[in-house]
Amino acid sequence: MNHLNCLPQDGIFWGQHILQAAVARLGEHGIHRPMVFTVEPLTKLYEDCVRPNLKQAVGSFMALPPHVPDVAVQAGLEACLQARAQSIVALGGGSVLDAAKAVSHLHHEKTGRYLPIAALPTTLSGSEFSHYFGITETDGSEKFKRSYAVRETVPKVVVIDPVLVFDTPRALLLSSAIKGMDHAVEGMRKVTKEHPHAIMAASGLERFLKVLQKWPQAMPTREAMDKGLVTPDDLLQLQLAAWQCYFSPASVIYGLSHRIGHILGGTFGLPHSATSCITLAPVIRACADFYGDKLEIFSAPSAHADAAAQLAGRIEAVVTSLGLPNRIGAFDLDKAKLPEVAKLLKKNYPNEVADLGNNASIKLDALLDSVW
């Protein structure tokens, strides 16, 4: 039986020059007495576009490191409780949004009430459309990013405006687009080619590639815009692509590329979005038999190569053309740690490792070695 699981989102608003008006109307969607979650580099955007238009705000919380460590989540929860916040406005990328969801979840555990979230996303991974979040546990012998799926934490309202990504650092913005593609591809693990995810994801991935394949090299977004190489509409197309790639997150279960990313990021500190630049294309090739003909939805009509090889090649080419990292060795992680990465994957994500087929354990070791 075909089935689409829906999440309780009230509204998604998108377009150019809408941010300030949309923020002013958040109260119409139950965003009252909000605490703003953001990070220091976004202070100017917050002060210029959000704070002047946000009604009844009770404060801001900026102590939000990458990978959502549990101590930061607890501090965010305490800030909300002390200020008697009734909602959260999350201005930032995936880590800010994950922290907001985590705090909403813990607030419910403590008080019986979730804090509704309004998302103002500054990256392209699409976290604002999902109920998934991770919390990095820091009290054990090694850090571990544990995943959660809580329907009530999906942002109630999402606002998409190109101004939100004008000043996102180039590497973060573009690598988060690859993470968005990862959602499109690995979302096919448990659905058919006729599922709404497949239809939207195929469109979203093409939308991503159309813009990224012409993206200028080694240039901040604002400079590229000043030179006419990138337009606000290009940025909006990327934001819409992120939405399409993550259109039905409650109906899909993500795979090995994501799980490797959770270990490399949460335990070993690699930038979360950058992990998909390293893992997505190799995992597509390695798991081609598992996906079978499902990946044909991402193929060009005249393609002669098999679907997995063609898709991996297209993603690999754009990662290279954008100058994004495509090897674990580009980061400060000793190769001797790879057996630990493999051990954590086999222990915590056996189903995703099994996507590699027969002799999956040996194949995983070889895969990790190949992306070093």
Side-chain angles (χ1 to χ4, degrees):
M1 180 186 299
N2 294 315
H3 187 65
L4 175 67
N5 292 318
C6 298
L7 293 172
Q9 289 193 298
D10 276 11
I12 298 168
F13 304 90
W14 70 95
Q16 296 183 39
H17 314 298
I18 69 161
L19 176 60
Q20 291 166 297
V23 168
R25 297 179 61 182
L26 289 178
E28 298 175 15
H29 302 277
I31 305 300
H32 304 299
R33 292 185 58 82
M35 175 69 72
V36 178
F37 279 24
T38 190
V39 288
E40 190 275 333
L42 296 173
T43 299
K44 187 176 188 304
L45 179 62
Y46 168 57
E47 295 289 350
D48 290 351
C49 298
V50 178
R51 187 175 181 180
N53 301 286
L54 188 60
K55 300 173 183 177
Q56 302 179 329
V58 297
S60 62
F61 183 78
M62 295 189 178
L64 296 170
H67 305 300
V68 200
D70 48 13
V71 290
V73 173
Q74 286 295 334
L77 174 63
E78 287 304 315
C80 288
L81 290 170
Q82 289 180 15
R84 291 178 295 153
Q86 296 177 10
S87 63
I88 299 173
V89 170
L91 171 66
S95 290
V96 170
L97 286 159
D98 269 19
K101 296 174 196 177
V103 167
S104 178
H105 168 60
L106 294 180
H107 191 276
H108 175 263
E109 289 193 338
K110 192 175 185 69
T111 69
R113 184 172 62 85
Y114 291 98
L115 295 175
I117 299 167
L120 313 177
T122 60
T123 59
L124 302 168
S125 62
S127 177
E128 61 271 17
F129 303 113
S130 89
H131 60 316
Y132 295 119
F133 60 93
I135 301 175
T136 298
E137 299 167 352
T138 62
D139 58 350
S141 57
E142 60 187 1
K143 294 186 289 185
F144 180 74
K145 190 171 186 178
R146 192 168 302 281
S147 298
Y148 296 80
V150 182
R151 287 172 50 82
E152 292 81 4
T153 66
V154 67
K156 194 172 184 182
V157 185
V158 179
V159 180
I160 300 170
D161 186 323
V163 72
L164 288 165
V165 297
F166 281 179
D167 295 304
T168 301
R170 180 184 187 277
L172 174 58
L173 181 69
L174 299 179
S175 62
S176 70
I178 309 301
K179 180 66 70 179
M181 293 187 205
D182 208 334
H183 291 144
V185 176
E186 293 207 322
M188 293 303 300
R189 286 183 75 233
K190 300 296 184 180
V191 302
T192 66
K193 292 190 290 185
E194 295 75 31
H195 193 277
H197 169 79
I199 297 165
M200 297 298 287
S203 176
L205 191 136
E206 286 301 320
R207 194 183 295 258
F208 263 138
L209 289 173
K210 183 178 179 181
V211 177
L212 295 177
Q213 285 168 346
K214 66 175 185 178
W215 201 269
Q217 295 186 356
M219 188 181 299
T221 301
R222 277 197 184 269
E223 182 181 347
M225 292 174 63
D226 290 343
K227 293 182 177 180
L229 301 174
V230 171
T231 68
D233 186 63
D234 289 330
L235 297 173
L236 182 59
Q237 294 308 308
L238 292 176
Q239 292 171 305
L240 294 175
W243 183 11
Q244 288 184 307
C245 287
Y246 217 1
F247 196 74
S248 37
S251 299
V252 299
I253 300 173
Y254 296 104
L256 186 58
S257 176
H258 274 79
R259 297 314 189 186
I260 296 173
H262 288 162
I263 300 300
L264 291 177
T267 301
F268 295 100
L270 271 67
H272 181 59
S273 59
T275 59
S276 289
C277 302
I278 298 168
T279 60
L280 180 54
V283 166
I284 290 170
R285 292 191 181 99
C287 297
D289 289 344
F290 173 82
Y291 284 99
D293 66 356
K294 290 182 179 182
L295 299 184
E296 291 176 358
I297 66 164
F298 301 112
S299 301
S302 60
H304 297 293
D306 70 87
Q310 188 207 36
L311 177 60
R314 296 176 76 196
I315 293 170
E316 200 168 59
V318 81
V319 168
T320 300
S321 71
L322 294 172
L324 297 173
N326 58 8
R327 289 286 183 272
I328 298 173
F331 298 93
D332 186 21
L333 178 63
D334 191 333
K335 189 175 184 179
K337 295 288 187 180
L338 289 186
E340 293 181 42
V341 176
K343 181 180 177 181
L344 287 168
L345 286 164
K346 294 167 189 177
K347 175 184 176 182
N348 294 285
Y349 305 118
N351 293 333
E352 291 84 345
V353 172
D355 291 358
L356 292 166
N358 295 331
N359 301 311
S361 179
I362 295 172
K363 289 178 179 177
L364 176 64
D365 295 338
L367 174 64
L368 292 173
D369 190 68
S370 74
V371 299
W372 172 258

